[in-house]
Amino acid sequence: MKWVRRLAMGVFALLLALVLIAWLLTVPGDSAPRTIIPFSDLSKYRQWLDDYHPARLQAGQAVSLTVQQDDVQKLAILLASTQPALTHTQFRARITPDSLQLEAWYPTRVLDRLLPLQLTWTPSEPFRLQRLWVSSVAMPDWVVGRLNGRLAQLPAVIDAERLWQTLNPVVELGDGSLQFSTEWNDPELSGWLSDFAPFWSDAAQRERLVEEVEWISRFFATDGRQRIPLRDILIALAQRPNLDFEQDGSAVFGALSYATLGSVSGMQPGVDLPRLSSQRLTLHGRYDLARHYTLAMWLGTQMSPDAALELATYKEWSDAETRSSGFSAEDMVANVAGLEMLGYLRRIDALDRKDFRPATDDHLMPARSFWEPWLSNGAALTERQLRELIDSTREQLQFSGS
């Protein structure tokens, strides 16, 4: 029996040591800097998308873009939020004439602890880490080499490297900024990249988007009202027997988002897509809620719904710090409800869709009486409060999880 006790004590000591090492390598969640992304920056990045949209770039056209180091860390946060494993990761960038250093605080999902990482990148080897630190401890070359080997096998990295080789850009590093320049040659976007730019990379997808925009134009003309409840167009979409919301979702909800926002994936009215009339879609009588709802549905087709929700959450948290309107509980509820509706329409078949006839907007999104108690004078909700709001919203929706 003594050997059993000794074995148990040994296992316990080993586990205790591992827990202690993990604790020493990580830092508390509130010790990491939280980068706020104001609405003005989101507008700027959207303008970049418009300016450098492949649909408008001509073969042989010179393209040049200067990016500041704070933009690098904000874009890193936005990109990370599209990957479920990386959501909530915080970044801080520092650019020198020699390299770009990126610090990251990766959430371990255990006791709100973050793992500090630091990596060095150079444009001469854009798809290889030069150095890596974990909790300020430099990793040996063989560890970095094995990590680079793993990265090189990822489909996303393979796609991005193929695009990089095709464009052959020149990247110049300076103090606090980098400049990217190339001559555009109409590269073919594929794989992971096409998931983020379906209407850039696939002519068939662009044609489907135009078809759906034209369908919305006909719906508006037939309806005739200036203010059209969003539920009415969703009912009409659900009644289309040959529509597959899994396969056609990108074009269908891209067109719906275009109808509320005026653009989608950088494609502009009268340039890339047919213009729509001035008629507006509403949710609970409001244009802004319809915009949040349809944009969430569209984003849910471009990334996982969980990633789309994290992206929306980060946007609302940033608003709480930078805009007079602050954190918007109703916008968050609209985001959650839109993603839940997307999942519902994907789950039911064409026969069940015939019975989809929500009588009021409360069937699409909980009413004001639900989300009003969550208003906090614009202050951001805590992580726990936010999760409670999301879970409560899902419970309120009659179609959620069915």
Side-chain angles (χ1 to χ4, degrees), residues 77 79-90 105-107 109 304 306-311 314 387:
I77 290 170
L79 285 174
S81 69
T82 67
Q83 304 298 311
L86 298 177
T87 52
H88 296 310
T89 302
Q90 291 295 304
W105 286 264
Y106 176 75
R109 274 78 175 179
S304 75
D306 287 343
L309 182 59
E310 294 295 345
L311 186 59
Y314 202 92
R387 298 305 164 193

mmCIF file with all atom_site columns, all heavy atoms in Angstrom, residues 77 79-90 105-107 109 304 306-311 314 387:
data_model
loop_
_atom_site.group_PDB
_atom_site.id
_atom_site.type_symbol
_atom_site.label_atom_id
_atom_site.label_alt_id
_atom_site.label_comp_id
_atom_site.label_asym_id
_atom_site.label_entity_id
_atom_site.label_seq_id
_atom_site.pdbx_PDB_ins_code
_atom_site.Cartn_x
_atom_site.Cartn_y
_atom_site.Cartn_z
_atom_site.occupancy
_atom_site.B_iso_or_equiv
_atom_site.pdbx_formal_charge
_atom_site.auth_seq_id
_atom_site.auth_comp_id
_atom_site.auth_asym_id
_atom_site.auth_atom_id
_atom_site.pdbx_PDB_model_num
ATOM 1   N N   . ILE A 1 77  ? -6.557  42.444 -33.936 1.00 0.00 ? 77  ILE A N   1
ATOM 2   C CA  . ILE A 1 77  ? -7.668  42.105 -33.043 1.00 0.00 ? 77  ILE A CA  1
ATOM 3   C C   . ILE A 1 77  ? -8.904  41.726 -33.845 1.00 0.00 ? 77  ILE A C   1
ATOM 4   O O   . ILE A 1 77  ? -9.587  40.730 -33.550 1.00 0.00 ? 77  ILE A O   1
ATOM 5   C CB  . ILE A 1 77  ? -7.970  43.283 -32.100 1.00 0.00 ? 77  ILE A CB  1
ATOM 6   C CG1 . ILE A 1 77  ? -6.839  43.446 -31.087 1.00 0.00 ? 77  ILE A CG1 1
ATOM 7   C CG2 . ILE A 1 77  ? -9.293  43.088 -31.374 1.00 0.00 ? 77  ILE A CG2 1
ATOM 8   C CD1 . ILE A 1 77  ? -6.916  44.718 -30.275 1.00 0.00 ? 77  ILE A CD1 1
ATOM 9   N N   . LEU A 1 79  ? -9.056  40.595 -36.957 1.00 0.00 ? 79  LEU A N   1
ATOM 10  C CA  . LEU A 1 79  ? -8.844  39.310 -37.631 1.00 0.00 ? 79  LEU A CA  1
ATOM 11  C C   . LEU A 1 79  ? -8.916  38.155 -36.642 1.00 0.00 ? 79  LEU A C   1
ATOM 12  O O   . LEU A 1 79  ? -9.491  37.105 -36.933 1.00 0.00 ? 79  LEU A O   1
ATOM 13  C CB  . LEU A 1 79  ? -7.497  39.314 -38.353 1.00 0.00 ? 79  LEU A CB  1
ATOM 14  C CG  . LEU A 1 79  ? -7.433  40.121 -39.655 1.00 0.00 ? 79  LEU A CG  1
ATOM 15  C CD1 . LEU A 1 79  ? -6.001  40.165 -40.174 1.00 0.00 ? 79  LEU A CD1 1
ATOM 16  C CD2 . LEU A 1 79  ? -8.350  39.522 -40.711 1.00 0.00 ? 79  LEU A CD2 1
ATOM 17  N N   . ALA A 1 80  ? -8.317  38.346 -35.452 1.00 0.00 ? 80  ALA A N   1
ATOM 18  C CA  . ALA A 1 80  ? -8.348  37.284 -34.441 1.00 0.00 ? 80  ALA A CA  1
ATOM 19  C C   . ALA A 1 80  ? -9.766  36.981 -34.003 1.00 0.00 ? 80  ALA A C   1
ATOM 20  O O   . ALA A 1 80  ? -10.110 35.828 -33.714 1.00 0.00 ? 80  ALA A O   1
ATOM 21  C CB  . ALA A 1 80  ? -7.492  37.683 -33.238 1.00 0.00 ? 80  ALA A CB  1
ATOM 22  N N   . SER A 1 81  ? -10.619 38.008 -33.974 1.00 0.00 ? 81  SER A N   1
ATOM 23  C CA  . SER A 1 81  ? -12.000 37.795 -33.525 1.00 0.00 ? 81  SER A CA  1
ATOM 24  C C   . SER A 1 81  ? -12.799 36.942 -34.501 1.00 0.00 ? 81  SER A C   1
ATOM 25  O O   . SER A 1 81  ? -13.866 36.434 -34.162 1.00 0.00 ? 81  SER A O   1
ATOM 26  C CB  . SER A 1 81  ? -12.700 39.137 -33.315 1.00 0.00 ? 81  SER A CB  1
ATOM 27  O OG  . SER A 1 81  ? -12.911 39.799 -34.546 1.00 0.00 ? 81  SER A OG  1
ATOM 28  N N   . THR A 1 82  ? -12.287 36.758 -35.735 1.00 0.00 ? 82  THR A N   1
ATOM 29  C CA  . THR A 1 82  ? -12.979 35.900 -36.698 1.00 0.00 ? 82  THR A CA  1
ATOM 30  C C   . THR A 1 82  ? -12.612 34.430 -36.519 1.00 0.00 ? 82  THR A C   1
ATOM 31  O O   . THR A 1 82  ? -13.207 33.577 -37.173 1.00 0.00 ? 82  THR A O   1
ATOM 32  C CB  . THR A 1 82  ? -12.642 36.316 -38.148 1.00 0.00 ? 82  THR A CB  1
ATOM 33  O OG1 . THR A 1 82  ? -11.262 36.046 -38.424 1.00 0.00 ? 82  THR A OG1 1
ATOM 34  C CG2 . THR A 1 82  ? -12.921 37.794 -38.368 1.00 0.00 ? 82  THR A CG2 1
ATOM 35  N N   . GLN A 1 83  ? -11.642 34.144 -35.640 1.00 0.00 ? 83  GLN A N   1
ATOM 36  C CA  . GLN A 1 83  ? -11.225 32.771 -35.388 1.00 0.00 ? 83  GLN A CA  1
ATOM 37  C C   . GLN A 1 83  ? -11.608 32.388 -33.959 1.00 0.00 ? 83  GLN A C   1
ATOM 38  O O   . GLN A 1 83  ? -11.097 32.989 -33.010 1.00 0.00 ? 83  GLN A O   1
ATOM 39  C CB  . GLN A 1 83  ? -9.712  32.620 -35.581 1.00 0.00 ? 83  GLN A CB  1
ATOM 40  C CG  . GLN A 1 83  ? -9.217  33.065 -36.953 1.00 0.00 ? 83  GLN A CG  1
ATOM 41  C CD  . GLN A 1 83  ? -9.811  32.240 -38.072 1.00 0.00 ? 83  GLN A CD  1
ATOM 42  O OE1 . GLN A 1 83  ? -9.804  31.014 -38.031 1.00 0.00 ? 83  GLN A OE1 1
ATOM 43  N NE2 . GLN A 1 83  ? -10.349 32.914 -39.081 1.00 0.00 ? 83  GLN A NE2 1
ATOM 44  N N   . PRO A 1 84  ? -12.505 31.423 -33.779 1.00 0.00 ? 84  PRO A N   1
ATOM 45  C CA  . PRO A 1 84  ? -12.987 31.099 -32.431 1.00 0.00 ? 84  PRO A CA  1
ATOM 46  C C   . PRO A 1 84  ? -11.879 30.860 -31.412 1.00 0.00 ? 84  PRO A C   1
ATOM 47  O O   . PRO A 1 84  ? -12.012 31.260 -30.255 1.00 0.00 ? 84  PRO A O   1
ATOM 48  C CB  . PRO A 1 84  ? -13.818 29.824 -32.660 1.00 0.00 ? 84  PRO A CB  1
ATOM 49  C CG  . PRO A 1 84  ? -14.285 29.930 -34.078 1.00 0.00 ? 84  PRO A CG  1
ATOM 50  C CD  . PRO A 1 84  ? -13.161 30.607 -34.823 1.00 0.00 ? 84  PRO A CD  1
ATOM 51  N N   . ALA A 1 85  ? -10.773 30.250 -31.835 1.00 0.00 ? 85  ALA A N   1
ATOM 52  C CA  . ALA A 1 85  ? -9.701  29.943 -30.882 1.00 0.00 ? 85  ALA A CA  1
ATOM 53  C C   . ALA A 1 85  ? -8.934  31.182 -30.443 1.00 0.00 ? 85  ALA A C   1
ATOM 54  O O   . ALA A 1 85  ? -8.220  31.151 -29.438 1.00 0.00 ? 85  ALA A O   1
ATOM 55  C CB  . ALA A 1 85  ? -8.723  28.939 -31.498 1.00 0.00 ? 85  ALA A CB  1
ATOM 56  N N   . LEU A 1 86  ? -9.068  32.282 -31.182 1.00 0.00 ? 86  LEU A N   1
ATOM 57  C CA  . LEU A 1 86  ? -8.277  33.478 -30.891 1.00 0.00 ? 86  LEU A CA  1
ATOM 58  C C   . LEU A 1 86  ? -9.114  34.643 -30.370 1.00 0.00 ? 86  LEU A C   1
ATOM 59  O O   . LEU A 1 86  ? -8.558  35.711 -30.086 1.00 0.00 ? 86  LEU A O   1
ATOM 60  C CB  . LEU A 1 86  ? -7.536  33.935 -32.157 1.00 0.00 ? 86  LEU A CB  1
ATOM 61  C CG  . LEU A 1 86  ? -6.516  32.959 -32.741 1.00 0.00 ? 86  LEU A CG  1
ATOM 62  C CD1 . LEU A 1 86  ? -5.921  33.525 -34.025 1.00 0.00 ? 86  LEU A CD1 1
ATOM 63  C CD2 . LEU A 1 86  ? -5.413  32.664 -31.732 1.00 0.00 ? 86  LEU A CD2 1
ATOM 64  N N   . THR A 1 87  ? -10.411 34.481 -30.251 1.00 0.00 ? 87  THR A N   1
ATOM 65  C CA  . THR A 1 87  ? -11.234 35.593 -29.803 1.00 0.00 ? 87  THR A CA  1
ATOM 66  C C   . THR A 1 87  ? -10.803 36.059 -28.415 1.00 0.00 ? 87  THR A C   1
ATOM 67  O O   . THR A 1 87  ? -10.380 35.261 -27.578 1.00 0.00 ? 87  THR A O   1
ATOM 68  C CB  . THR A 1 87  ? -12.720 35.193 -29.765 1.00 0.00 ? 87  THR A CB  1
ATOM 69  O OG1 . THR A 1 87  ? -12.868 33.981 -29.011 1.00 0.00 ? 87  THR A OG1 1
ATOM 70  C CG2 . THR A 1 87  ? -13.258 34.976 -31.157 1.00 0.00 ? 87  THR A CG2 1
ATOM 71  N N   . HIS A 1 88  ? -10.918 37.365 -28.197 1.00 0.00 ? 88  HIS A N   1
ATOM 72  C CA  . HIS A 1 88  ? -10.523 38.040 -26.957 1.00 0.00 ? 88  HIS A CA  1
ATOM 73  C C   . HIS A 1 88  ? -9.013  38.205 -26.831 1.00 0.00 ? 88  HIS A C   1
ATOM 74  O O   . HIS A 1 88  ? -8.542  38.741 -25.816 1.00 0.00 ? 88  HIS A O   1
ATOM 75  C CB  . HIS A 1 88  ? -11.061 37.332 -25.716 1.00 0.00 ? 88  HIS A CB  1
ATOM 76  C CG  . HIS A 1 88  ? -12.547 37.322 -25.620 1.00 0.00 ? 88  HIS A CG  1
ATOM 77  N ND1 . HIS A 1 88  ? -13.315 38.452 -25.757 1.00 0.00 ? 88  HIS A ND1 1
ATOM 78  C CD2 . HIS A 1 88  ? -13.419 36.308 -25.426 1.00 0.00 ? 88  HIS A CD2 1
ATOM 79  C CE1 . HIS A 1 88  ? -14.596 38.138 -25.634 1.00 0.00 ? 88  HIS A CE1 1
ATOM 80  N NE2 . HIS A 1 88  ? -14.693 36.845 -25.454 1.00 0.00 ? 88  HIS A NE2 1
ATOM 81  N N   . THR A 1 89  ? -8.221  37.744 -27.812 1.00 0.00 ? 89  THR A N   1
ATOM 82  C CA  . THR A 1 89  ? -6.779  37.980 -27.761 1.00 0.00 ? 89  THR A CA  1
ATOM 83  C C   . THR A 1 89  ? -6.507  39.466 -27.979 1.00 0.00 ? 89  THR A C   1
ATOM 84  O O   . THR A 1 89  ? -7.068  40.082 -28.882 1.00 0.00 ? 89  THR A O   1
ATOM 85  C CB  . THR A 1 89  ? -6.039  37.164 -28.835 1.00 0.00 ? 89  THR A CB  1
ATOM 86  O OG1 . THR A 1 89  ? -6.317  35.775 -28.638 1.00 0.00 ? 89  THR A OG1 1
ATOM 87  C CG2 . THR A 1 89  ? -4.534  37.386 -28.746 1.00 0.00 ? 89  THR A CG2 1
ATOM 88  N N   . GLN A 1 90  ? -5.663  40.035 -27.128 1.00 0.00 ? 90  GLN A N   1
ATOM 89  C CA  . GLN A 1 90  ? -5.282  41.443 -27.257 1.00 0.00 ? 90  GLN A CA  1
ATOM 90  C C   . GLN A 1 90  ? -3.886  41.546 -27.872 1.00 0.00 ? 90  GLN A C   1
ATOM 91  O O   . GLN A 1 90  ? -3.039  40.663 -27.662 1.00 0.00 ? 90  GLN A O   1
ATOM 92  C CB  . GLN A 1 90  ? -5.307  42.133 -25.902 1.00 0.00 ? 90  GLN A CB  1
ATOM 93  C CG  . GLN A 1 90  ? -6.708  42.310 -25.330 1.00 0.00 ? 90  GLN A CG  1
ATOM 94  C CD  . GLN A 1 90  ? -7.549  43.243 -26.179 1.00 0.00 ? 90  GLN A CD  1
ATOM 95  O OE1 . GLN A 1 90  ? -7.174  44.379 -26.444 1.00 0.00 ? 90  GLN A OE1 1
ATOM 96  N NE2 . GLN A 1 90  ? -8.704  42.755 -26.611 1.00 0.00 ? 90  GLN A NE2 1
ATOM 97  N N   . TRP A 1 105 ? -1.690  38.806 -25.897 1.00 0.00 ? 105 TRP A N   1
ATOM 98  C CA  . TRP A 1 105 ? -2.135  38.241 -24.622 1.00 0.00 ? 105 TRP A CA  1
ATOM 99  C C   . TRP A 1 105 ? -3.254  37.272 -24.941 1.00 0.00 ? 105 TRP A C   1
ATOM 100 O O   . TRP A 1 105 ? -4.392  37.672 -25.220 1.00 0.00 ? 105 TRP A O   1
ATOM 101 C CB  . TRP A 1 105 ? -2.610  39.352 -23.689 1.00 0.00 ? 105 TRP A CB  1
ATOM 102 C CG  . TRP A 1 105 ? -1.492  40.161 -23.121 1.00 0.00 ? 105 TRP A CG  1
ATOM 103 C CD1 . TRP A 1 105 ? -0.879  39.997 -21.917 1.00 0.00 ? 105 TRP A CD1 1
ATOM 104 C CD2 . TRP A 1 105 ? -0.835  41.275 -23.754 1.00 0.00 ? 105 TRP A CD2 1
ATOM 105 N NE1 . TRP A 1 105 ? 0.109   40.925 -21.760 1.00 0.00 ? 105 TRP A NE1 1
ATOM 106 C CE2 . TRP A 1 105 ? 0.171   41.720 -22.866 1.00 0.00 ? 105 TRP A CE2 1
ATOM 107 C CE3 . TRP A 1 105 ? -0.986  41.919 -24.985 1.00 0.00 ? 105 TRP A CE3 1
ATOM 108 C CZ2 . TRP A 1 105 ? 1.001   42.797 -23.179 1.00 0.00 ? 105 TRP A CZ2 1
ATOM 109 C CZ3 . TRP A 1 105 ? -0.158  42.983 -25.287 1.00 0.00 ? 105 TRP A CZ3 1
ATOM 110 C CH2 . TRP A 1 105 ? 0.815   43.410 -24.398 1.00 0.00 ? 105 TRP A CH2 1
ATOM 111 N N   . TYR A 1 106 ? -2.911  35.992 -24.917 1.00 0.00 ? 106 TYR A N   1
ATOM 112 C CA  . TYR A 1 106 ? -3.842  34.948 -25.356 1.00 0.00 ? 106 TYR A CA  1
ATOM 113 C C   . TYR A 1 106 ? -4.675  34.458 -24.173 1.00 0.00 ? 106 TYR A C   1
ATOM 114 O O   . TYR A 1 106 ? -4.133  34.052 -23.132 1.00 0.00 ? 106 TYR A O   1
ATOM 115 C CB  . TYR A 1 106 ? -3.071  33.790 -25.963 1.00 0.00 ? 106 TYR A CB  1
ATOM 116 C CG  . TYR A 1 106 ? -3.938  32.617 -26.364 1.00 0.00 ? 106 TYR A CG  1
ATOM 117 C CD1 . TYR A 1 106 ? -4.727  32.673 -27.496 1.00 0.00 ? 106 TYR A CD1 1
ATOM 118 C CD2 . TYR A 1 106 ? -3.980  31.462 -25.583 1.00 0.00 ? 106 TYR A CD2 1
ATOM 119 C CE1 . TYR A 1 106 ? -5.527  31.613 -27.867 1.00 0.00 ? 106 TYR A CE1 1
ATOM 120 C CE2 . TYR A 1 106 ? -4.781  30.388 -25.945 1.00 0.00 ? 106 TYR A CE2 1
ATOM 121 C CZ  . TYR A 1 106 ? -5.546  30.472 -27.075 1.00 0.00 ? 106 TYR A CZ  1
ATOM 122 O OH  . TYR A 1 106 ? -6.348  29.419 -27.427 1.00 0.00 ? 106 TYR A OH  1
ATOM 123 N N   . PRO A 1 107 ? -6.020  34.465 -24.295 1.00 0.00 ? 107 PRO A N   1
ATOM 124 C CA  . PRO A 1 107 ? -6.869  34.010 -23.190 1.00 0.00 ? 107 PRO A CA  1
ATOM 125 C C   . PRO A 1 107 ? -6.824  32.493 -23.032 1.00 0.00 ? 107 PRO A C   1
ATOM 126 O O   . PRO A 1 107 ? -7.124  31.754 -23.967 1.00 0.00 ? 107 PRO A O   1
ATOM 127 C CB  . PRO A 1 107 ? -8.267  34.486 -23.603 1.00 0.00 ? 107 PRO A CB  1
ATOM 128 C CG  . PRO A 1 107 ? -8.215  34.586 -25.093 1.00 0.00 ? 107 PRO A CG  1
ATOM 129 C CD  . PRO A 1 107 ? -6.806  34.951 -25.455 1.00 0.00 ? 107 PRO A CD  1
ATOM 130 N N   . ARG A 1 109 ? -8.751  30.842 -21.014 1.00 0.00 ? 109 ARG A N   1
ATOM 131 C CA  . ARG A 1 109 ? -10.090 30.406 -20.612 1.00 0.00 ? 109 ARG A CA  1
ATOM 132 C C   . ARG A 1 109 ? -10.100 29.700 -19.265 1.00 0.00 ? 109 ARG A C   1
ATOM 133 O O   . ARG A 1 109 ? -11.023 28.965 -18.919 1.00 0.00 ? 109 ARG A O   1
ATOM 134 C CB  . ARG A 1 109 ? -10.722 29.475 -21.661 1.00 0.00 ? 109 ARG A CB  1
ATOM 135 C CG  . ARG A 1 109 ? -11.456 30.185 -22.794 1.00 0.00 ? 109 ARG A CG  1
ATOM 136 C CD  . ARG A 1 109 ? -10.532 30.730 -23.810 1.00 0.00 ? 109 ARG A CD  1
ATOM 137 N NE  . ARG A 1 109 ? -11.271 31.308 -24.938 1.00 0.00 ? 109 ARG A NE  1
ATOM 138 C CZ  . ARG A 1 109 ? -10.674 31.878 -25.981 1.00 0.00 ? 109 ARG A CZ  1
ATOM 139 N NH1 . ARG A 1 109 ? -9.361  31.947 -26.048 1.00 0.00 ? 109 ARG A NH1 1
ATOM 140 N NH2 . ARG A 1 109 ? -11.390 32.400 -26.952 1.00 0.00 ? 109 ARG A NH2 1
ATOM 141 N N   . SER A 1 304 ? -17.697 31.756 -38.530 1.00 0.00 ? 304 SER A N   1
ATOM 142 C CA  . SER A 1 304 ? -18.587 31.007 -37.647 1.00 0.00 ? 304 SER A CA  1
ATOM 143 C C   . SER A 1 304 ? -19.488 31.995 -36.902 1.00 0.00 ? 304 SER A C   1
ATOM 144 O O   . SER A 1 304 ? -19.072 33.115 -36.596 1.00 0.00 ? 304 SER A O   1
ATOM 145 C CB  . SER A 1 304 ? -17.776 30.190 -36.636 1.00 0.00 ? 304 SER A CB  1
ATOM 146 O OG  . SER A 1 304 ? -17.234 31.028 -35.628 1.00 0.00 ? 304 SER A OG  1
ATOM 147 N N   . ASP A 1 306 ? -20.272 32.085 -33.860 1.00 0.00 ? 306 ASP A N   1
ATOM 148 C CA  . ASP A 1 306 ? -19.637 32.481 -32.603 1.00 0.00 ? 306 ASP A CA  1
ATOM 149 C C   . ASP A 1 306 ? -18.603 33.580 -32.838 1.00 0.00 ? 306 ASP A C   1
ATOM 150 O O   . ASP A 1 306 ? -18.509 34.535 -32.054 1.00 0.00 ? 306 ASP A O   1
ATOM 151 C CB  . ASP A 1 306 ? -18.957 31.272 -31.949 1.00 0.00 ? 306 ASP A CB  1
ATOM 152 C CG  . ASP A 1 306 ? -19.957 30.312 -31.346 1.00 0.00 ? 306 ASP A CG  1
ATOM 153 O OD1 . ASP A 1 306 ? -21.118 30.716 -31.135 1.00 0.00 ? 306 ASP A OD1 1
ATOM 154 O OD2 . ASP A 1 306 ? -19.583 29.153 -31.094 1.00 0.00 ? 306 ASP A OD2 1
ATOM 155 N N   . ALA A 1 307 ? -17.826 33.453 -33.911 1.00 0.00 ? 307 ALA A N   1
ATOM 156 C CA  . ALA A 1 307 ? -16.827 34.477 -34.224 1.00 0.00 ? 307 ALA A CA  1
ATOM 157 C C   . ALA A 1 307 ? -17.511 35.794 -34.588 1.00 0.00 ? 307 ALA A C   1
ATOM 158 O O   . ALA A 1 307 ? -17.052 36.870 -34.200 1.00 0.00 ? 307 ALA A O   1
ATOM 159 C CB  . ALA A 1 307 ? -15.922 34.008 -35.358 1.00 0.00 ? 307 ALA A CB  1
ATOM 160 N N   . ALA A 1 308 ? -18.615 35.720 -35.347 1.00 0.00 ? 308 ALA A N   1
ATOM 161 C CA  . ALA A 1 308 ? -19.348 36.930 -35.703 1.00 0.00 ? 308 ALA A CA  1
ATOM 162 C C   . ALA A 1 308 ? -19.879 37.626 -34.456 1.00 0.00 ? 308 ALA A C   1
ATOM 163 O O   . ALA A 1 308 ? -19.859 38.866 -34.361 1.00 0.00 ? 308 ALA A O   1
ATOM 164 C CB  . ALA A 1 308 ? -20.494 36.581 -36.647 1.00 0.00 ? 308 ALA A CB  1
ATOM 165 N N   . LEU A 1 309 ? -20.329 36.833 -33.484 1.00 0.00 ? 309 LEU A N   1
ATOM 166 C CA  . LEU A 1 309 ? -20.847 37.407 -32.240 1.00 0.00 ? 309 LEU A CA  1
ATOM 167 C C   . LEU A 1 309 ? -19.722 38.081 -31.457 1.00 0.00 ? 309 LEU A C   1
ATOM 168 O O   . LEU A 1 309 ? -19.902 39.161 -30.886 1.00 0.00 ? 309 LEU A O   1
ATOM 169 C CB  . LEU A 1 309 ? -21.510 36.316 -31.400 1.00 0.00 ? 309 LEU A CB  1
ATOM 170 C CG  . LEU A 1 309 ? -22.144 36.768 -30.080 1.00 0.00 ? 309 LEU A CG  1
ATOM 171 C CD1 . LEU A 1 309 ? -23.220 37.819 -30.342 1.00 0.00 ? 309 LEU A CD1 1
ATOM 172 C CD2 . LEU A 1 309 ? -22.740 35.575 -29.345 1.00 0.00 ? 309 LEU A CD2 1
ATOM 173 N N   . GLU A 1 310 ? -18.545 37.455 -31.422 1.00 0.00 ? 310 GLU A N   1
ATOM 174 C CA  . GLU A 1 310 ? -17.411 38.057 -30.723 1.00 0.00 ? 310 GLU A CA  1
ATOM 175 C C   . GLU A 1 310 ? -17.011 39.379 -31.372 1.00 0.00 ? 310 GLU A C   1
ATOM 176 O O   . GLU A 1 310 ? -16.672 40.348 -30.692 1.00 0.00 ? 310 GLU A O   1
ATOM 177 C CB  . GLU A 1 310 ? -16.221 37.091 -30.718 1.00 0.00 ? 310 GLU A CB  1
ATOM 178 C CG  . GLU A 1 310 ? -16.441 35.816 -29.919 1.00 0.00 ? 310 GLU A CG  1
ATOM 179 C CD  . GLU A 1 310 ? -16.623 36.055 -28.428 1.00 0.00 ? 310 GLU A CD  1
ATOM 180 O OE1 . GLU A 1 310 ? -16.296 37.164 -27.957 1.00 0.00 ? 310 GLU A OE1 1
ATOM 181 O OE2 . GLU A 1 310 ? -17.109 35.151 -27.734 1.00 0.00 ? 310 GLU A OE2 1
ATOM 182 N N   . LEU A 1 311 ? -17.038 39.425 -32.697 1.00 0.00 ? 311 LEU A N   1
ATOM 183 C CA  . LEU A 1 311 ? -16.699 40.654 -33.411 1.00 0.00 ? 311 LEU A CA  1
ATOM 184 C C   . LEU A 1 311 ? -17.700 41.758 -33.065 1.00 0.00 ? 311 LEU A C   1
ATOM 185 O O   . LEU A 1 311 ? -17.313 42.913 -32.820 1.00 0.00 ? 311 LEU A O   1
ATOM 186 C CB  . LEU A 1 311 ? -16.685 40.389 -34.912 1.00 0.00 ? 311 LEU A CB  1
ATOM 187 C CG  . LEU A 1 311 ? -16.213 41.528 -35.823 1.00 0.00 ? 311 LEU A CG  1
ATOM 188 C CD1 . LEU A 1 311 ? -14.794 41.943 -35.472 1.00 0.00 ? 311 LEU A CD1 1
ATOM 189 C CD2 . LEU A 1 311 ? -16.299 41.112 -37.277 1.00 0.00 ? 311 LEU A CD2 1
ATOM 190 N N   . TYR A 1 314 ? -17.034 43.025 -29.514 1.00 0.00 ? 314 TYR A N   1
ATOM 191 C CA  . TYR A 1 314 ? -15.886 43.918 -29.412 1.00 0.00 ? 314 TYR A CA  1
ATOM 192 C C   . TYR A 1 314 ? -16.248 45.313 -29.908 1.00 0.00 ? 314 TYR A C   1
ATOM 193 O O   . TYR A 1 314 ? -15.821 46.325 -29.341 1.00 0.00 ? 314 TYR A O   1
ATOM 194 C CB  . TYR A 1 314 ? -14.696 43.367 -30.196 1.00 0.00 ? 314 TYR A CB  1
ATOM 195 C CG  . TYR A 1 314 ? -13.383 43.942 -29.716 1.00 0.00 ? 314 TYR A CG  1
ATOM 196 C CD1 . TYR A 1 314 ? -12.651 43.296 -28.733 1.00 0.00 ? 314 TYR A CD1 1
ATOM 197 C CD2 . TYR A 1 314 ? -12.909 45.147 -30.209 1.00 0.00 ? 314 TYR A CD2 1
ATOM 198 C CE1 . TYR A 1 314 ? -11.467 43.828 -28.260 1.00 0.00 ? 314 TYR A CE1 1
ATOM 199 C CE2 . TYR A 1 314 ? -11.733 45.691 -29.740 1.00 0.00 ? 314 TYR A CE2 1
ATOM 200 C CZ  . TYR A 1 314 ? -11.012 45.023 -28.772 1.00 0.00 ? 314 TYR A CZ  1
ATOM 201 O OH  . TYR A 1 314 ? -9.852  45.575 -28.302 1.00 0.00 ? 314 TYR A OH  1
ATOM 202 N N   . ARG A 1 387 ? -22.668 37.864 -21.050 1.00 0.00 ? 387 ARG A N   1
ATOM 203 C CA  . ARG A 1 387 ? -23.056 36.476 -21.308 1.00 0.00 ? 387 ARG A CA  1
ATOM 204 C C   . ARG A 1 387 ? -24.486 36.226 -20.860 1.00 0.00 ? 387 ARG A C   1
ATOM 205 O O   . ARG A 1 387 ? -25.233 35.466 -21.485 1.00 0.00 ? 387 ARG A O   1
ATOM 206 C CB  . ARG A 1 387 ? -22.086 35.509 -20.603 1.00 0.00 ? 387 ARG A CB  1
ATOM 207 C CG  . ARG A 1 387 ? -20.661 35.614 -21.085 1.00 0.00 ? 387 ARG A CG  1
ATOM 208 C CD  . ARG A 1 387 ? -20.556 35.438 -22.583 1.00 0.00 ? 387 ARG A CD  1
ATOM 209 N NE  . ARG A 1 387 ? -19.284 35.903 -23.115 1.00 0.00 ? 387 ARG A NE  1
ATOM 210 C CZ  . ARG A 1 387 ? -19.021 36.099 -24.392 1.00 0.00 ? 387 ARG A CZ  1
ATOM 211 N NH1 . ARG A 1 387 ? -19.963 35.879 -25.294 1.00 0.00 ? 387 ARG A NH1 1
ATOM 212 N NH2 . ARG A 1 387 ? -17.852 36.536 -24.785 1.00 0.00 ? 387 ARG A NH2 1
#
